[in-house]
Amino acid sequence: MTKPLPEDPFIRSLVIQAQRSQFTRRNMLKGAGIGAGALALAACTPGGTTGGSTGPKAAKDKSDTDKIVRWDNWALYLDVDSNGHYPTLEAFEKQTGIKATYTEAVDDNNTYYGKVKDQLKLGQDIGCDTVCLTDWMVDRWIRFGYTQELDDAMIPNKKNLVPKLLDVSFDPGRKHSLPWQGGFAGIAWNKDHLPGGLTSVSDLWDPSLKGRVGVLSEMRDTMGCIMQDLGTQIDGKWGDAEFTAAIDVLQKQVSDGQIRNIKGNSYKQDLQNGDTLAAIVWSGDITQLNAEAGDHWAFALPSKGGTLWNDNFLIPIGSAHKKNAEMLINYYYNPEVAAQVAAYVNYIPPVAGTKEAMMALDPALADNQLIFPTEATLKNAHVFRSLDSAEDQKYNAQFQAILLGA
């Protein structure tokens, strides 16, 4: 019997997001021409400690003697003070005696994967002990045997995970991953230059903004926002015709010079230096940009809908500091710590009890729709539906062709 979705709109939307944003195993294997016997074997083979029957072996853990942990993440994704220090991370170091190195190494999922995939195949250390990536990319790492299986005994705060996020299609029981943050992709603009604001993705194509528009190199977010603008429900039924229509829009805006840049997390620099006045962006970045560089930008979900996504912790197969990484993950699953992070990053925390902790920390933020969205806010946020392997290759090829020519 299918379990009913939870009442809470935030939890319900994250559940739907986690369930829909992955390749399905059946379609993935069908696209690769793998039969039912291999399907059964793949379903039973762990993707971490042994790396699967032919995958790489997990590194020997040196955590007991080597008290370090290295964390790769996206930019603007952890609380930071005016001196460039990370308060919650420094508190973790004092609490555990583990020296943490935090690097904003992830610009987008594909470019990061491109840098480390050869080392992952060989089971080598990629230079980090945990990294936060988006659901669909985490699904790939798990399937290829590039992650180590988490030890629940080392992560007792896993009990604080929003319950309905425990059993997701790409990682049942969350044996190889745990959510870090969720959020929206929508539109942002410079309020000084565009005091009237923007309401839709189509507003980005206004001739007055020629050469001053940016979009994300994350295909599902940029294409998702454009498809929604064209009237396609990205979490519903659609196919080549709908995707091609949106690709044609993107290609035209790039060819005409309307779009200046297609970037990952570095897009914020273009907003800050004025190269772009409006862009498709990630929600929490704009709040942080305003805090760091003055209150010059606004964010909104487009009138016809933006996207909803989630990023996750995983431990690479070559990490030799697994226990230290698990202690780090456990620390950030404390609701009080999660609230401190959420107060800075303004993304959606997956830790139960965070809103209550936020009430004690900063009651005004408990009503922030970017952190604790209501049903009304979530109605305009959609999950890019799962793609089978053939679709993923085809649609990514079309999108990448525009990136390479931009």
Side-chain angles (χ1 to χ4, degrees):
M1 180 180 295
T2 302
K3 296 180 180 178
L5 291 173
E7 294 291 334
D8 185 277
F10 151 59
I11 298 176
R12 182 166 65 251
S13 291
L14 282 185
V15 172
I16 294 171
Q17 184 263 340
Q19 291 173 338
R20 290 181 176 175
S21 61
Q22 319 312 318
F23 300 121
T24 64
R25 184 175 296 274
R26 174 181 296 176
N27 286 333
M28 181 274 292
L29 294 175
K30 181 173 66 175
I34 300 175
L39 172 61
L41 177 62
C44 296
T45 302
T49 304
T50 64
S53 58
T54 60
K57 304 295 183 181
K60 183 178 180 181
D61 194 5
K62 302 188 297 184
S63 294
D64 290 340
T65 56
D66 198 10
K67 296 297 184 180
I68 67 170
V69 64
R70 302 159 300 165
W71 181 6
D72 281 359
N73 208 348
W74 305 71
L76 302 178
Y77 221 16
L78 187 63
D79 54 307
V80 63
D81 63 21
S82 59
N83 296 316
H85 299 155
Y86 301 103
T88 58
L89 196 57
E90 291 187 350
F92 166 78
E93 291 178 313
K94 292 177 181 178
Q95 178 179 310
T96 63
I98 297 170
K99 174 63 178 177
T101 300
Y102 184 79
T103 307
E104 293 182 342
V106 185
D107 190 56
D108 73 24
N109 287 287
N110 282 314
T111 57
Y112 186 85
Y113 180 66
K115 291 186 295 184
V116 301
K117 63 181 181 180
D118 291 339
Q119 292 165 283
L120 289 170
K121 289 178 183 177
L122 297 173
Q124 295 176 348
D125 180 15
I126 64 170
C128 76
D129 302 302
T130 187
V131 58
C132 295
L133 299 172
T134 309
D135 282 338
W136 64 270
M137 181 58 75
V138 172
D139 173 63
R140 180 184 297 178
W141 284 45
I142 293 173
R143 285 188 289 108
F144 289 174
Y146 295 163
T147 65
Q148 299 192 46
E149 185 169 335
L150 302 176
D151 181 356
D152 286 355
M154 291 297 300
I155 313 176
N157 282 339
K158 182 179 177 179
K159 67 180 185 296
N160 296 327
L161 173 65
V162 170
K164 291 293 184 176
L165 288 177
L166 178 62
D167 286 308
V168 291
S169 61
F170 64 95
D171 189 16
R174 289 286 183 178
K175 296 181 178 180
H176 297 268
S177 68
L178 279 170
W180 165 239
Q181 305 286 323
F184 305 112
I187 52 177
W189 60 94
N190 187 308
K191 296 185 292 184
D192 302 330
H193 291 268
L194 301 167
L198 305 179
T199 60
S200 70
V201 171
S202 294
D203 290 341
L204 298 174
W205 317 144
D206 189 288
S208 66
L209 292 174
K210 185 172 182 177
R212 309 296 292 277
V213 173
V215 298
L216 295 168
S217 58
E218 189 73 20
M219 184 269 283
R220 286 161 176 78
D221 289 324
T222 289
M223 294 306 297
C225 286
I226 295 174
M227 291 170 72
Q228 284 289 147
D229 191 62
L230 294 177
T232 298
Q233 291 291 111
I234 59 172
D235 46 5
K237 293 182 179 179
W238 56 266
D240 291 355
E242 292 81 4
F243 189 85
T244 299
I247 277 287
D248 289 344
V249 169
L250 180 63
Q251 181 66 74
K252 174 176 171 52
Q253 301 307 325
V254 170
S255 299
D256 290 351
Q258 185 76 14
I259 292 175
R260 182 187 184 100
N261 292 316
I262 306 176
K263 291 187 175 181
N265 241 131
S266 60
Y267 75 84
K268 67 183 186 298
Q269 297 166 4
D270 296 327
L271 288 171
Q272 187 170 349
N273 64 30
D275 283 348
T276 55
L277 298 179
I280 293 176
V281 305
W282 290 306
S283 53
D285 289 351
I286 303 307
T287 300
Q288 295 169 57
L289 189 58
N290 279 329
E292 293 177 358
D295 186 17
H296 300 293
W297 298 272
F299 170 86
L301 284 171
S303 56
K304 293 186 179 180
T307 69
L308 177 67
W309 46 264
N310 209 56
D311 291 331
N312 309 266
F313 283 111
L314 54 79
I315 298 177
I317 194 70
S319 166
H321 307 99
K322 178 175 178 285
K323 290 181 182 178
N324 295 343
E326 289 166 335
M327 291 178 68
L328 177 79
I329 296 169
N330 184 68
Y331 169 78
Y332 279 101
Y333 264 68
N334 179 310
E336 286 72 27
V337 176
Q340 292 178 60
V341 174
Y344 180 83
V345 303
N346 279 244
Y347 284 113
I348 305 169
V351 180
T354 304
K355 186 170 185 177
E356 292 76 8
M358 187 69 80
M359 287 294 295
L361 181 66
D362 188 338
L365 287 180
D367 293 324
N368 187 314
Q369 291 302 293
L370 298 182
I371 306 174
F372 304 106
T374 63
E375 183 70 42
T377 298
L378 290 169
K379 283 180 66 175
N380 250 8
H382 303 270
V383 177
F384 199 95
R385 74 162 176 82
S386 61
L387 303 177
D388 63 37
S389 59
E391 289 176 322
D392 185 62
Q393 293 176 20
K394 176 169 55 179
Y395 296 154
N396 264 306
Q398 291 179 262
F399 185 72
Q400 292 296 322
I402 295 177
L403 265 64
L404 293 173

